[in-house]
Amino acid sequence: MVVLIPLAKIAIAISILLFIVTYLVYFERKISAWIQDRIGPNRVGPYGLLQSPADVLKLFFKEDIVPSAATKFVHSLAPVISLTVAMSTYAVIPFGPDIEIFGQKVRLIVADVDVGILFILAFASIGVYGLTLSGWASNNKYSLLGGLRSSAQMISYELSMGISVVGVLILAGSLRIYDIINSQQGWMWNAFIQPIGFITFVVAAFAETNRLPFDLPEAEPELVGGYHTEYSSLKFAMFFLAEYANMIIASCLITTLYLGGWHLPFIDSATLSYGLMPLISVMIFVAKVLFLLFFFIWVRWSIPRFRYDQLMNLGWKVMLPLSLLNLMWVALLVYFFKI
Amino acid sequence: MAVKKRKKDLHFFERIYLVEIIKGLLLTLKHLFKPKFTLQYPEEKIEQAPSYRGRPVLVMDNGKERCVACGLCSRVCPALAIQVQASETEDEKERYPVLFEINMLRCIFCGFCEEVCPEEAIVMSKDYELVFTRYDDAIFGKDKLLVPVEKLKDRLEFVRTQMRK
Ligand code: SF4
Ligand code: SF4
């Protein structure tokens, strides 16, 4: 039992992840189409629902091209790094309160580590290696530029992201994600208490996941495909998967850190039967994450890409001071109100 | 050095992006629920206007072509797509084409043949779906070119009124 439960949790987490990614791609295409007054994929299966599996199948059968001038080992290593990092970050993200199965207390998290947030930030930084190495190993000027941009962008935005998170940590008094969520019961969502930190974190999350308006490492019009220009077949699929997995992580993270995890103001106070509560909590959590994922896609199809100098200006001259301001605000709150 | 002012400097709310971003998001949200423009092509098709220049066809009147095989269309065709071979007939018009072929791989849909024809015997149709799997299939003979006049009414009307022939 001791081994079985974590294994089951890992299996469930990964299959849910893959399922969500598949349909995230589908909805990305659908929503982009709707926003542009089009219909979107609707030919493969009913309502085009089998489009994404078909795409994956297609990628399976494509030839895997490695440029002759590429550094072969690193070239194949890079997508693996991206994907592994993206997948393992899920381990520390909880998606519901404790539940009881067969008299056993089960936490809805793969690994409840004490340094949860730190773990996520650390892994997010490793993820950059995937992009940078792929850009360097491809031996292609566009890829290299994409890789360089991604590393510069990550460094600039990770800073403000980290400082925004510190505000949350001060309020929660713990690095453990459970404690952070439980410190936001009722209306005490961090998004309301520290709105500036919320905004800086969301913007930094967009930059970290390489989504528009910060998708400079890819930037199709200027860099062809950026870091993944020279990738094809399954290696490309891995990058693709990693990007969407990162999006889900970012959404989960925003939900846990700022939107109160599985807490909703009125549900907590309502007297619900004990058995129903975990189910509703998980549903609330998933609903929040899905809304954020929609938000990610929605923003992508609304806002144009930043220019590189604008990106750097925003990162260092706006985001960093703002997140520091937020930190001071939280410190003052704690000092005066002893929240 | 004085800071160069742009013609239209952004005011504060524009410069912090947030307000403008929310405006943009609301606009795209509105479009999310708007009716879509897309036409589901093989199932739905556009009814083309009379001015549309699809593949050229021969007008068939009372089961016979109007063409008198004068060869003007073949002469004017910039792509050299038309081949006409004349022969005699007992009918009032005295001449008719034994062979009338348009090579649809050459035709550029310019409509000159229609313009030059003295008999209104060749007109542009609304048919734009031209797919061949062999070169030979692309050469349309009389069997494919002849279309009853009833089906070409609005184009003939258009040729008469709009092109002032
Ligand atoms: S439409 Fe133009 S190219 Fe085509 S057959 Fe007529 S004259 Fe020739
Ligand atoms: S111009 Fe008209 S009448 Fe003369 S050959 Fe061509 S189709 Fe026939």
Side-chain angles (χ1 to χ4, degrees), chain A residues 26 42-50:
Chain A
Y26 168 74
N42 65 349
R43 294 281 152 170
V44 192
Y47 302 102
L49 276 172
L50 297 178

Side-chain angles (χ1 to χ4, degrees), chain A residues 17-236:
Chain A
L17 170 73
L18 290 178
F19 179 79
I20 295 181
V21 167
T22 316
Y23 281 93
L24 202 56
V25 177
Y26 168 74
F27 276 107
E28 166 115 49
R29 293 178 62 178
K30 270 288 189 197
I31 291 171
S32 73
W34 290 334
I35 283 178
Q36 297 168 349
D37 293 340
R38 295 183 286 116
I39 291 177
N42 65 349
R43 294 281 152 170
V44 192
Y47 302 102
L49 276 172
L50 297 178
Q51 182 67 52
S52 299
D55 286 344
V56 174
L57 213 62
K58 183 197 75 181
L59 279 173
F60 259 112
F61 290 113
K62 290 281 172 190
E63 187 191 353
D64 181 22
I65 301 164
V66 181
S68 54
T71 313
K72 304 245 162 24
F73 177 66
V74 185
H75 186 267
S76 350
L77 184 67
V80 180
I81 295 179
S82 283
L83 189 61
T84 321
V85 165
M87 297 260 239
S88 33
T89 318
Y90 280 89
V92 297
I93 290 177
F95 33 90
D98 300 352
I99 52 168
E100 289 205 19
I101 302 174
F102 311 126
Q104 281 237 336
K105 218 161 171 245
V106 178
R107 294 211 127 170
L108 288 179
I109 182 171
V110 176
D112 185 19
V113 288
D114 295 340
V115 291
I117 287 297
L118 222 50
F119 180 90
I120 292 173
L121 286 182
F123 262 73
S125 326
I126 298 179
V128 191
Y129 281 94
L131 310 194
T132 314
L133 284 179
S134 67
W136 174 75
S138 298
N139 211 345
N140 169 326
K141 50 183 175 278
Y142 298 117
S143 302
L144 185 61
L145 274 175
L148 283 179
R149 279 181 180 189
S150 78
S151 48
Q153 180 176 324
M154 294 285 166
I155 291 169
S156 319
Y157 281 81
E158 217 147 62
L159 213 58
S160 50
M161 190 181 212
I163 296 174
S164 317
V165 172
V166 173
V168 175
L169 299 182
I170 291 178
L171 277 183
S174 167
L175 281 168
R176 207 193 199 89
I177 294 184
Y178 265 89
D179 298 339
I180 293 172
I181 290 179
N182 286 330
S183 73
Q184 306 181 54
Q185 271 161 11
W187 281 113
M188 297 288 282
W189 288 8
N190 280 327
F192 301 132
I193 299 176
Q194 31 181 321
I196 298 180
F198 177 57
I199 291 170
T200 47
F201 187 86
V202 170
V203 174
F206 271 87
E208 290 280 302
T209 48
N210 290 329
R211 293 284 297 182
L212 263 167
F214 302 108
D215 73 336
L216 281 119
E218 289 170 42
E220 293 91 352
E222 22 183 319
L223 293 186
V224 193
Y227 61 90
H228 59 52
T229 308
E230 297 290 357
Y231 283 87
S232 51
S233 181
L234 273 185
K235 286 183 196 156
F236 174 75

Side-chain angles (χ1 to χ4, degrees), chain A residues 19 60 106 109 122 141 167 244 259 276 295 306 312 314 324:
Chain A
F19 179 79
F60 259 112
V106 178
I109 182 171
K141 50 183 175 278
Y244 281 88
L259 299 180
L276 211 59
F295 183 69
F306 275 90
M312 284 296 148
L314 188 73
L324 285 171

Side-chain angles (χ1 to χ4, degrees), chain B residues 56 73 76-79 81-82 102 106-113 124:
Chain B
C73 55
V76 80
C77 178
I82 306 180
I102 301 184
R106 306 204 66 153
C107 174
I108 54 171
F109 305 94
C110 61
F112 283 2
C113 47
M124 308 304 278

